[in-house]
Amino acid sequence: MLSLVLTVIAALFFTGIVIRTKSLASGRKGPGIMQPIKDVIRLFKKGAVYSETSSFIFQIAPTIYLASIVMAMLVVPFGQTKGLLSFSCDFIFFAYVLALGKFFSIISAMDTGSSFEGMGASREALYSMFAEPAFFILMGSFALLTGYTSFQEIFAALHIGSYISYALAGLATFVLIMVAMIENSRMPIDDPKTHLELTMVHEVMILDNSGFDLGLILTGGYLKFAIYGTLIFNLFIGIIDYQYAIPLFFIVQFLMAVIVGLIESFSARFRMNHNAQFIVALTSVSLLIFFGALLMLGKFN
Amino acid sequence: MSLLIAFLVLPIITIIVIPFLKVRGKAIVTISAILINALISGHFAIQTLSGQIFDFSFAGSVVTGPIRIQIDALAGWFILILNLVFLTGSFYGLFYMKAYKEQRNNLSLHWISFILLHTSLISICVIQNGIAFLIAWEIMALSAFLAVIFEHEKMATLKAGINYLIQSHVSILFLMVGFIWVAIKTGSYDFQSITSYTQTQGSATGIFLFFCFFIGFAIKAGFVPFHTWLPHAHPAAPTHISGIMSGVIIKIGIFGILRMLLLIKADYTSIGFFILFMSVLSGLYGVMLAIIQHNLKRLLAYHSIENIGIIGMGIGIGCIGLGNGNQLLAAIGFAGALLHTLNHALFKSLLFYVSGIVYQATHTLNIEHLGGLIKKMPQTAMLFLIAAIAICGIPPFNGFVSEFIIYNGLYQWMLNAGLVSLVAIIFSILGLVLIGGLALFCFTKAFSVVFLGQPRVQFNHEIKDAPFLQRLPLYIISFFILAIGLFPKNVLNMLIQPVSLFTGKIEPTFVPFQDGSLDALQTIGWASSGFIVLIAIIFLLRRVVTQKHKATISSTWGCGYVAPTPKIQYTASSYARSYSKLFSNILLIEKEEKTVSGIFPTEAHFKTHPYDWLEKMLIDKPIKLYKSILSRFLFLNNGKLQFSILYGIIFIVSVICIPLFYDEIILFIDFLKQL
Amino acid sequence: MIHVILIVFIITLFYLSIANRMLTYVKVLALQGVLLFFVAFLQLSEINTLNLIFILLETIVFKAIAVPLFLGYLLKRNNITREAEPFLPNFVSLIITTAIVVATILLSNSILDSHLDKMFFVVALSTLFTGLYFIASRRKIITHVMGYMVIENGVFVLSMAVGNEMPMMVNLGVMLDIFASVLILGIFLNKIGDVFKDVDVDQLTNLKDY
């Protein structure tokens, strides 16, 4: 329950901080931190325009997308406390519930019969397909290190002591941040600010959504970012008491948002053709982490 | 015992009666016969799931010895799957075949082969005698062949059918070798002799014997590289037969492998690694080729290969568990495999039935010509969507449950494994995740291109949805898909008996799943129900909030382009292109194009045809080589009657002369050897 | 700490396989030089100080500064286009590099010698094979030189593994390095790049006998 509340609170600010960082880095003052939330509330009050090509899939897809993200949020723990749902191998449930959301967003994009959305749908399917193995192998390495298989037990038992475990934790953070960027289609995979169809993945899939549905989709996006932030936070705390953990949580989320903003301001987007190999490189790095975990356990040498 | 006799007599009566009935009557009589047989076999099967074993014996002839029939939990599980798929399939087939009601004789043959298929499949599950098993297997292969070539006026169908027949006979050849080998060494054709033979001989014999059987069963199941008949046979057959083939006939191959695992005593660990390797290969290869197919049924056929790979992974993990003495791992592995067998039978048959409805409405199976069907047949589209989500292994449906169990097995194994096993595990996990992602890619493509968007080709005839009664079996199947997804623990309890047949090899008194190893499934069931409730809540919220605001309908945003046509939509090939470009080395796509040239462009065209690389290497090239060698002897077969008589005379003369002059010939050969 | 640096070294190999521009290759070589400097500093604690200073200087000066600068200058002077043109797409290169690393890890597990630290062996062998693959899969001549530098970094890592017992090995590695630098210097000074108008490897096939 605690993780649920904290993640929702973090989601309120996360995207706002990212946008504010990007503006400040380019020398502007930028919108307020609560602006994304105000946008969503404004969208909830508007009417919608539906395409005549679309069907009932288009109507139910944003709902299912948000529901899948909320469901995934229930699995994420917070240090010692479990999430609302916690069982062995629950990270598999986490990944596959998110996959349901992706399934529906892809088919709702194809539902409009537009070539733009088809392009985005095809790319989204390809990239999320390649990003999954990195996540699973990463969790596999952690499961191997700690001997448990559920999120909460893994994070509670993860000790960061020696140099090599710091290195592995650092690499794991890198992989998780990159997976978060891929899932939310931000730099360097995709630039959410160019509204050019040839260069986008996620923004182009929601071109025809409007009103309440668009609000649902945006909320889902913000929540997803905060969920990954919570996961990364969990990598490092483990055993700290609550009175330190909760402020530390907000500090880490803030830092992550600033880092994301800085990455977005200072790096260029990859060429679309090169995205696939970058994502597969993440899987290679995960494999390295796995073998590093083996090294730590002394299983080879 | 009397029930068994009734079970065998009923099909015979049906076969005799069918040719004399009217078209409608044929189908109804067959369906009733299948229903009665299903009830009889189901009666036994359900009791075996709670632990009972039935033993009967027929006094066979002097060749076969006594023929034993034994119905145990494994056979019971497969019989229940069989009956479910056959019942829904035959009911669906009744309406599907209405389109062909002029072809009386063809229909008689079809329904006869149908009931023979049902009976032989159930017999294969329970027979415990080598020769009787082979006879039942042969009857099954032949009746499946007859059922597949229903539209035999089309050349492609006939070729596909003969391809299937030949490969089926290669499979039976391997099985024959296995059974006869054991019979020669032990003198009895009974299955018990296989067990006693492999227990006394060294482990090398056991492994060799197992591979013999494995190859035979793998050809039937569709493991890569033995799969090449599958993608041809499934599109060629009428839809309910495709559904039954994918749902049941390839599962009999899996049943055979499982039965041989129980009977043969060999080194389980190496067998397990081998099966795991083949399965990951099959899974990946099947789904990688499925994405680029244009023909809807062929796409589904390649997916069957992928799912057989997933089932094989479960079997491999279970075998490794048996080899290491780890009963937990063995239980999880076999449970995952058996549950996925049921799940795959359900959603694959559902997918095939829907594709049959699409075919009958539009008369084409080419995805590139379809589109926008959801407006004309919304309920059918909904059913396809449910099956597509289930086959990708996504909660809250049943595919997730079996894939979860297999993942659980892999992660449990990882926790205490050596280095080589760890590498195998991590690559199996990689493979399974990629399979899931690729399946998602493929089914979003299939669903969106067939049902969503706008129609890509305008049809002259009207497109109607199938009548409600034809869709009834589909609703029943989707009900099962949802039920297994929401109540996985109850289904797992049904699996206790079949799995304990396997774990009994390590420790006879172990009752699987009682130690809380798969308690996660209970939580998953609740989570799935909660998920559906959550979706409903958000949807209601949405309904309440948007009541106040108007929703307008307008055209899709086209970036200012004022003349949108359905042709600018994304086609299936364009959707798959981002993927097929990356893997172009493995995927054989033949292109044929006439490009645009000149300042005022005229008509141009572009055709792609996907082909199977393994089929090209393993089947086409050897056959070409074989033909080129044999075509040198073509002059012998010139059709003139006189030459045939001449050959006959030469044969008779040599048959008479060679024994007469045998001694002289031997002297001559010795003389030649001394030179 | 050394293991961490070696893991970062392997990640530079992955980066090398997906990079597109020639300048990126040069920068990766410089990075590898810096990493090797730190490894040398931490690992070779038992050889005499003069030798150690020589090795450290050599690593920093040659590997991290001089060779990358020379290569960069060559790229600019000969107007070699920025794109590296591989024969196989980068995607395939990445998969092959990953396969090389995994195969090396499995191979190292079957070695039972307790004196050798396996990590060094893994990194050295994978760098070697990646360097060989690099040479085999690129079109331009100058990438052959870069591939040779990568191979030679790999040999240096291996010599570090036994450097404490056999300081001569490390010195030999250093000699190899100096040889390579002289080679590049030769190209630079003698302006061979001017004579070879085509920087495309395929043209070299004109030198065939038949």
Side-chain angles (χ1 to χ4, degrees), chain A residues 51-55 58 107-118 208, chain B residues 448 452-456 556-558 564-570:
Chain A
S51 156
E52 61 200 358
T53 324
S54 60
S55 60
F58 200 71
I107 57 178
S108 104
M110 294 290 281
D111 197 9
T112 57
S114 146
S115 42
F116 304 126
E117 271 116 341
D208 272 85
Chain B
S448 342
L452 302 176
Q454 289 173 307
R456 289 174 176 79
T556 309
W557 189 69
T565 81
K567 287 201 209 153
I568 62 174
Q569 279 179 108
Y570 241 50

Side-chain angles (χ1 to χ4, degrees), chain B residues 145-159:
Chain B
F145 167 70
L146 288 173
V148 162
I149 56 167
F150 179 72
E151 293 180 322
H152 48 77
E153 60 274 3
K154 294 189 198 159
M155 201 55 206
T157 314
L158 208 52
K159 277 177 85 165

